Amino acid sequence: MIRIARSSAWSASILLALVPSAFAVELDQELTPAVQRLENPAPRRVLFVGNSYLYYNDSLHNHVKRIAEEIGPYGPGEYQYKSATISGSRLSHHDVDSLLEPGRLGIDEPFELVILQGGSREVLTPGNRAEFHAKAVELGGRIRAAGAEVALYMIHAYVKPHARYDPGMFDKIRRTYVPAGNELGALVIPVGLAFERAYSARPEIALHEVFDGTHPNMLGTYLAACVVYQSIYGRSVVGNEYDYFGEVPKETAEFLQRIADETVRDFLKRGS
């Protein structure tokens, strides 16, 4: 089910009370990503699989594609991106074999990259984390058998007023996504890490919807798109002019681009 939803603006005064605990970027050896870049650094055909974290705000894949059309490696109309999302879904809810079938989603050739985004509750308990890990490895094998590479979309943490807000949630997220990515040899896209970094630097800039503390608002989706693009293609997003048709203020876009660039460089140990 493909869905698109619109978000409302946050109040900066409200957000100051919602910021997660202090940001930390130091990762121990267990949490260092083994895959630094894709074998194919320029995929044209990309499938995004997840839930509302992807389909909010005109769908993440549309924003990534618009950034890619501006920066490269290809021009407008040369990318074939698809997004398959189910509200509230976990990895186990997706019929990945069906999605990978050539022609099933209107693309005749096989996908070159599949990005998997798990449900937020999959990181909350040891049992859920174990199930996520096992399912990610299983799906990774199926995706590779179909000829595509795999990436894991590291989600962001809850903020207040979410009922399950926990200052330690991001640590659970990175301890879920990085080991799973390392076992299946997948690129881990550090979206959640970028959210933590942005909130630490500029807590007055909201990245979540004020009504639930879980879904990204437009700025959160913009930041996520920048992180996804740079993680996939290895090109800096700093200086690109895409602003969702004037919806993202220039100064804010520049800040979020810088956060995305620094996060990806630090996490994936990439130079210029």
Side-chain angles (χ1 to χ4, degrees), residues 106-157:
I107 296 178
D108 293 332
E109 296 181 81
F111 286 105
E112 297 170 287
L113 173 65
V114 178
I115 299 172
L116 300 175
Q117 176 250 314
S120 58
R121 295 195 178 199
E122 291 189 89
V123 309
L124 298 183
T125 68
N128 283 352
R129 291 192 289 273
E131 289 178 11
F132 172 92
H133 189 106
K135 180 56 66 172
V137 172
E138 175 191 337
L139 294 182
R142 294 181 184 180
I143 291 166
R144 285 212 172 81
E149 290 188 77
V150 188
L152 295 181
Y153 178 103
M154 179 196 287
I155 62 171
H156 55 265

Side-chain angles (χ1 to χ4, degrees), residues 30-102:
E30 176 191 4
L31 300 178
T32 300
V35 176
Q36 306 296 317
R37 62 187 67 242
L38 296 173
E39 293 179 15
N40 174 6
R44 293 177 187 265
R45 299 182 300 280
V46 181
L47 173 63
F48 294 70
V49 177
N51 58 32
S52 54
Y53 281 12
L54 300 187
Y55 68 65
Y56 257 51
N57 311 306
D58 193 18
S59 196
L60 180 80
H61 77 292
N62 287 325
H63 298 284
V64 178
K65 182 166 66 173
R66 292 170 189 143
I67 293 171
E69 287 177 337
E70 179 183 328
I71 301 177
Y74 310 112
E78 297 186 70
Y79 299 88
Q80 292 181 300
Y81 285 7
K82 290 290 183 176
S83 182
T85 60
I86 302 173
S87 179
S89 65
R90 299 181 175 216
L91 287 185
S92 60
H93 295 163
H94 296 281
D95 184 1
V96 172
D97 291 337
S98 176
L99 297 173
L100 293 173
E101 182 181 336

Side-chain angles (χ1 to χ4, degrees), residues 169-245:
M169 183 177 177
F170 179 69
D171 187 60
K172 295 176 182 177
I173 291 171
R174 66 179 188 174
R175 291 183 182 279
T176 301
Y177 277 81
V178 177
N182 287 349
E183 180 166 337
L184 63 95
L187 178 73
V188 177
I189 299 174
V191 172
L193 193 62
F195 271 59
E196 298 290 303
R197 190 173 202 139
Y199 275 134
S200 178
R202 297 280 298 276
E204 77 279 8
I205 294 181
L207 304 173
H208 288 73
E209 291 285 16
V210 68
F211 56 80
D212 64 7
T214 178
H215 292 100
N217 66 9
M218 185 60 241
L219 298 184
T221 293
Y222 184 88
L223 174 59
C226 289
V227 173
V228 171
Y229 171 82
Q230 188 160 330
S231 298
I232 293 174
Y233 295 105
R235 300 186 183 197
S236 176
V237 294
V238 172
N240 86 82
E241 296 183 359
Y242 177 64
D243 59 3
Y244 192 41
F245 313 107

